[in-house]
Each structure stands twice: as structure tokens, then as C-alpha cells.
Amino acid sequence: MKYLATTATAVALTTTSAFAGAIDRSGQFLGPLFQDGGETGQYVEFSFGQVDPTANSAAIPADPLQGFTSVGVAYKTEINDRLSFALILDEPFGADIELPIAPGLLGLADVSSFAVTGVGRYKFSENWSVHGGLRLQRISGTIQTVVGGVGPVANLNLASDFEPGLVAGVAYERPDIALRVALTYNSEIDNRLDGTETVIVPALGASPASTTVTTPESINLEFQSGVAANTLVFGSIRHVFWDGVTLGTDLGDYVSFNEDTTTYRLGLGRRFNENWSGAVTLTHEEGDGFTTTLLAPTDGITAIGLGATYTGDSGIQVTGGVTYGTLQSTTFTRTGARFDDNNVFGAGLRVGFNF
């Protein structure tokens, strides 16, 4: 059941996390912290994903959603029977958007992030443990839009240094039935961004700009349990407090989110033999049918993911997966444009080593 649990976690992360609420991407999950180490208690993994979303609107001649890649690296070490530590590198937030906002002008959003999370885990017993640590995060990007929906057309090009946030949680396990329930809190992070702001219409040129973006706090609930021989049920619930998150300058708000998001995932894993196992996952996130920000012209998703893992005798685990999802029909309130028949396709690969 140990390898089946690994497959379930891998499929969930490689195929269903990269196009969730607002500009959420990695999901900030801590799966590597719960991986079993090899003979020396060490584990390392590398992950790669490609996501290709599509949105269609009769009012806009081109698809505003651009494809993107996501990468991640993680390392976990077991210091002793009770204490372990993981270092996780990921891209928690991002946006790749091109949206016509006026003749000859595009609304652009090219936002990226990078985070380094160090988290330790202490086991009080075979059943109970706590985990916590520090996350360092930086953000950079370019946004071009009609500021505040009614103001000038301006271009904002900013980047931040690494800023800290907290991670804390608790887990309950029963190894005899592969049961684990883990609850994790991720704090908000204040990133001060510096760069330039250029007013394009009317043409006023560029000037230095500084602002602070507070990425939202979130709560992750992850669970898994054996339900029959070689069969595992797993899933997660992630709630992100997006309501009130803004990006603005003296000109006004470039971006403003007004709804929290909750993403549900449920999966079933099956071990076929000593080397092969597979899993299927369902993902659902309800949207309200409206979006107020250029960074997220669609909201809400329903998706299915399929994946398989090969586990070798030398401790290598290779997981591949694909996801297809439909994105909820959404109206962009600033222009009245409606997006229908939206979808997303994703593929991912994760390679892990126990040693």
C-alpha cells in the first residue's frame, strides 16, 4: 500500500493542481514531507507540467489564455524516527493572459512566482504528528490594462525580493490501513514590488512605481485511506482567501479579486503488481460566473485526471498523468465579454528517488 499511496499523491499533483482558483498553480501541498525515505532516509523528486487552457468569446477574436509550464523540486530527509525535514521549491502563483482591451491594444498579464519552503515534521507517536516551517516567496511580472476599469491604459512592470510566510499543520495516520489526514495552514505573504509604471493612453511616459501585494492565506486538507486490498481513496480540499486581494498604484487598482475559492479533489488508486499502479482523480471548483480581474478571465473548473506510476527495484518512481477539464462559463465584468465552451488540458511527469 505504501507505493500505491505514492502513486495517488503523484497523480494528484502532476495532473490537477496547475489551473485552480484565481491565479493558484502549485496548490502549496506538502506531499514530499510524507514520503518514505530509502535506506538512508532520503527522498528527492523532480516534477514538470504543461498546461494548455482555452477560452472562447464572441466578443473577443483571440483566445486570451496562454499555455504555461510548471516545475518543482523537493528533498526530504529523515533525521531520526520522529523528526524529518523537507525542502520544496515550486511556483505557487502565476498568470499568462492576452486580452484585447481597445483597438490596437492588448491587456496583458505575465505574472510568475517562485517559493522555497522549508518544513519540519515531528511525530509524537505512530499516529500523531505536527509540521511547520518557513516559506520564502518572490513575485515578478508585467500587467497592462485599463486601470480600475475606467482609468488610463497603463503598463506595470514590477518585481519583488524574497519575503517570508509561515506554514503550520497537524496530521493523523494509521499505517495499517494507509490512512493519513493532514491539515496545513499557509499564511499570507506581503511582497513589496518595485519597477516602472507607463501610462500608454494618454501617452505620459514611464515613472518609478512601488506597491505591495499580499498573496492570500490558505488552508489545505489532504486525506487518503485504504478501502480494500491494493485500493486507496485519496483527495484534498483547498480553500484560498482571495477576497480582497488587490494590486494597485496611485492610478488605481490593476487587479482586484472579490471571491474566495475552494477546490475539491477526490481520487481512487489501484496497485496492479509490484511495479505498476494507477489512479484516477476528479476535481471541482465552483465559480460564480463572473470575474473582475484580467489575471483570471475564467473561474470554476471540473476535471478528470488519469495517471500511472512505475516503481523500480532501485527506489525510482516515475509517474505520468494527463488531465482534461471544462472551465465554467464566465462574464468579464469590465467589458461584458462572456467566455463559453472553455477547457483545459494538462500533462505532467514526476520522478522520485528513495535512497
Side-chain angles (χ1 to χ4, degrees), residues 11 15 46 53 58 72 79 85 94 109 153 182 206 209 215 219 229 253 257 294 303 321:
V11 171
T15 62
F46 306 90
I79 300 171
F85 175 80
V153 178
T215 55
I219 298 173
D253 288 339
F257 293 100
L294 171 67

Side-chain angles (χ1 to χ4, degrees), residues 16-254:
T16 61
S17 296
F19 204 82
I23 59 172
D24 211 354
R25 289 206 169 160
S26 74
Q28 299 177 315
F29 291 104
L30 300 180
L33 181 63
F34 297 95
Q35 289 281 357
D36 290 323
E39 293 182 359
T40 64
Q42 317 292 306
Y43 172 79
V44 64
E45 72 172 42
F46 306 90
S47 60
F48 172 85
Q50 174 67 39
V51 180
D52 292 303
T54 300
N56 301 283
S57 175
I60 296 174
D63 177 8
L65 302 179
Q66 308 298 301
F68 61 89
T69 60
S70 60
V71 297
V73 179
Y75 169 75
K76 182 255 179 106
T77 181
E78 296 169 359
I79 300 171
N80 54 44
D81 291 342
R82 294 184 178 271
L83 186 61
S84 57
F85 175 80
L87 186 67
I88 302 171
L89 284 63
D90 68 351
E91 299 170 302
F93 306 106
D96 292 273
I97 308 293
E98 290 186 6
L99 183 71
I101 56 176
L105 288 175
L106 281 177
L108 302 174
D110 182 5
V111 178
S112 62
S113 65
F114 179 71
V116 180
T117 304
V119 57
R121 182 187 182 211
Y122 182 79
K123 298 179 68 174
F124 292 103
S125 66
E126 184 181 51
N127 303 119
W128 289 99
S129 66
V130 294
H131 52 274
L134 184 69
R135 174 176 288 118
L136 298 175
Q137 174 185 279
R138 71 180 302 270
I139 297 175
S140 62
T142 297
I143 298 175
Q144 179 174 295
T145 189
V146 181
V147 181
V150 295
V153 178
N155 186 89
L156 196 62
N157 192 342
L158 301 171
S160 77
D161 293 326
F162 282 97
E163 301 292 347
L166 298 177
V167 179
V170 61
Y172 175 79
E173 296 177 286
R174 275 192 56 188
D176 58 319
I177 59 171
L179 172 68
R180 181 175 71 239
V181 180
L183 182 67
T184 303
Y185 168 77
N186 304 288
S187 77
E188 61 184 26
I189 297 179
D190 295 326
N191 281 105
R192 178 177 174 82
L193 298 100
D194 298 294
T196 59
E197 184 175 33
T198 303
V199 178
I200 301 171
V201 180
L204 299 179
S207 60
S210 295
T211 189
T212 297
V213 172
T214 301
T215 55
E217 60 184 348
S218 62
I219 298 173
N220 288 353
L221 176 66
E222 304 171 71
F223 57 89
Q224 65 175 50
S225 179
V227 293
N230 297 316
T231 304
L232 189 82
V233 170
F234 62 94
S236 66
I237 301 172
R238 173 168 167 82
H239 185 83
V240 187
F241 297 88
W242 284 106
D243 188 13
V245 173
T246 61
L247 168 60
T249 68
D250 291 341
L251 290 179
D253 288 339
Y254 281 71

Side-chain angles (χ1 to χ4, degrees), residues 2 5 32 296:
K2 174 180 68 176

Side-chain angles (χ1 to χ4, degrees), residues 263-336:
T263 307
Y264 303 90
R265 294 186 178 91
L266 182 63
L268 182 69
R270 177 74 178 175
R271 183 183 182 187
F272 305 122
N273 54 45
E274 291 296 322
N275 299 112
W276 287 98
S277 51
V280 57
T281 61
L282 299 176
T283 301
H284 180 73
E285 177 186 301
E286 189 68 27
D288 64 0
F290 297 91
T291 180
T292 59
T293 174
L294 171 67
L295 266 67
T298 64
D299 74 332
I301 182 174
T302 299
I304 184 171
L306 300 172
T309 291
Y310 173 80
T311 301
D313 296 335
S314 60
I316 186 173
Q317 303 156 9
V318 181
T319 296
V322 294
T323 289
Y324 176 79
T326 58
L327 306 175
Q328 180 173 317
S329 296
T330 307
T331 299
F332 185 37
T333 57
R334 292 188 178 182
T335 64

